Amino acid sequence: MTPADFDFVCRLVRERSGIVLETGKEYLVDARLTPVARQCELGTVAELIARLRGGADSGLIIRVIEAMVTTETSFFRDIHPFETLRTTVLPDMIRRRRAARQLAVWFAASSTGQEPYSFAMLLREHFPELTTWRLDLIATDLSTDVLGRARAGKYSQLEVNRGLPATMLVKYFRQHGATWELNDDVRRMIDFRELNLTRPWPALPQFDLIFLRNVMIYFDVETKKQILTRVARLLRRDGFLLLGGAETTLNLYDALRRMEQLKGGFYQQVG
């Protein structure tokens, strides 16, 4: 891949998704775009980039951006956030919300659905009281491809082996050959929507919990600041923002501070 082609892809990805590709990621661009080039019956990635340069249709641009977006995820990823939710955060939040009987949660970069479905199964397993509450569990991603996979709730053996307890696999999934399909009643708990964090957002409610885990690391500093500012406006005063283990609000948005007593990357508004 020529430096000019790599720079072109970097600019395109940054403009459309906010994701920053650093020098040295040429191999990643080539690996991610080779399947797209084949699907378009083009011989090489260079030919694909030439088509993009020539004013490709928006559909092709979307396919390229979706191919470049990292979709790494797993069930109950990093386990600590889910343990803290189960033992501390959710019991207290349920107590404080019992009069209203409503809970709103946003999974802001949901990928193929393992994170929101993990949360849904956590509720089913440990908080049966919530079956009679109004639950607004909204999961968003910029990729229509991964959203389609998430809505289907179908996972390979490798995917269910990553973090999903065997008891939950048997209880909440049906096996069809080499594929495991999530039960309809759990799938219907999640409202999957398309949303690009770096573009204008549609109207969203106030949330009790916002999962923004393991996505901020791909943005530049200014983009991180903008997203955190917008997220804070949607977070209830006593709600929690969840970030990944390598992420922080420090020097980005100081009105959100890490709750050190809670293990798993929980942040709350100051004051």
Side-chain angles (χ1 to χ4, degrees):
M1 178 175 294
T2 67
D5 280 351
F6 178 69
D7 288 344
F8 175 82
V9 174
C10 288
R11 288 196 306 272
L12 181 66
V13 171
R14 185 168 182 170
E15 290 169 1
R16 296 301 181 107
S17 70
I19 293 173
V20 177
L21 295 173
E22 299 175 351
T23 301
K25 297 290 187 180
E26 290 86 350
Y27 71 94
L28 178 65
V29 173
D30 190 72
R32 296 279 180 86
L33 295 188
T34 293
V36 180
R38 290 174 180 162
Q39 292 164 9
C40 296
E41 298 182 349
L42 298 171
T44 65
V45 171
E47 291 180 42
L48 174 65
I49 295 173
R51 179 174 290 187
L52 292 170
R53 288 179 181 276
D57 63 81
S58 59
L60 180 58
I61 293 174
I62 290 171
R63 290 172 68 181
V64 167
I65 299 302
E66 290 186 348
M68 291 308 306
V69 172
T70 300
T71 58
E72 171 66 19
T73 187
S74 60
F75 288 101
F76 296 97
R77 186 176 182 179
D78 305 324
I79 197 59
H80 293 304
F82 293 94
E83 281 300 300
T84 300
L85 283 166
R86 180 181 67 82
T87 61
T88 306
V89 171
L90 282 173
D92 181 59
M93 189 165 284
I94 289 170
R95 178 184 58 79
R96 288 184 281 111
R97 302 288 190 268
R98 190 161 278 133
R101 300 172 63 81
Q102 295 183 9
L103 195 66
V105 185
W106 180 23
F107 308 88
S110 61
S111 188
T112 45
Q114 285 93 322
E115 183 174 73
Y117 286 142
S118 295
F119 185 82
M121 287 185 283
L122 181 75
L123 298 188
R124 286 298 179 93
E125 283 289 291
H126 301 286
F127 304 99
E129 173 185 351
L130 296 182
T131 59
T132 61
W133 285 33
R134 174 178 171 177
L135 299 178
D136 293 317
L137 308 183
I138 298 173
T140 64
D141 200 278
L142 63 80
S143 171
T144 56
D145 178 59
V146 300
L147 285 171
R149 292 175 58 196
R151 291 188 185 102
K154 297 179 180 179
Y155 299 95
S156 67
Q157 187 68 55
L158 177 62
E159 288 172 319
V160 297
N161 283 346
R162 297 187 62 199
L164 184 64
T167 52
M168 287 191 177
L169 177 63
V170 173
K171 186 173 182 178
Y172 295 109
F173 288 78
R174 301 182 301 273
Q175 187 173 16
H176 302 284
T179 300
W180 290 86
E181 183 177 356
L182 188 62
N183 292 345
D184 291 345
D185 59 337
V186 177
R187 277 197 308 113
R188 285 194 290 263
M189 292 176 67
I190 311 298
D191 177 10
F192 288 99
R193 306 179 186 179
E194 184 178 349
L195 186 148
N196 186 330
L197 289 170
T198 66
R199 296 293 175 114
W201 297 357
L204 291 168
Q206 291 285 294
F207 291 102
D208 302 291
L209 296 168
I210 297 179
F211 286 69
L212 190 64
R213 303 176 64 231
N214 306 302
V215 64
M216 296 283 283
I217 54 176
Y218 300 107
F219 300 134
D220 61 29
V221 170
E222 190 56 38
T223 302
K224 290 176 183 178
K225 290 180 178 179
Q226 292 173 0
I227 291 174
L228 286 172
T229 300
R230 297 164 77 185
V231 162
R233 296 192 191 114
L234 295 175
L235 187 64
R236 294 188 187 280
R237 294 297 301 175
D238 60 347
F240 291 96
L241 169 68
L242 283 79
L243 297 182
E247 298 168 322
T248 181
T249 63
L250 192 63
N251 298 322
L252 296 171
Y253 190 79
D254 293 338
L256 286 165
R257 71 166 183 264
R258 187 183 182 96
M259 308 305 290
E260 299 294 346
Q261 73 274 24
L262 298 176
K263 196 171 183 178
F266 288 78
Y267 291 76
Q268 201 164 42
Q269 299 199 51
V270 177

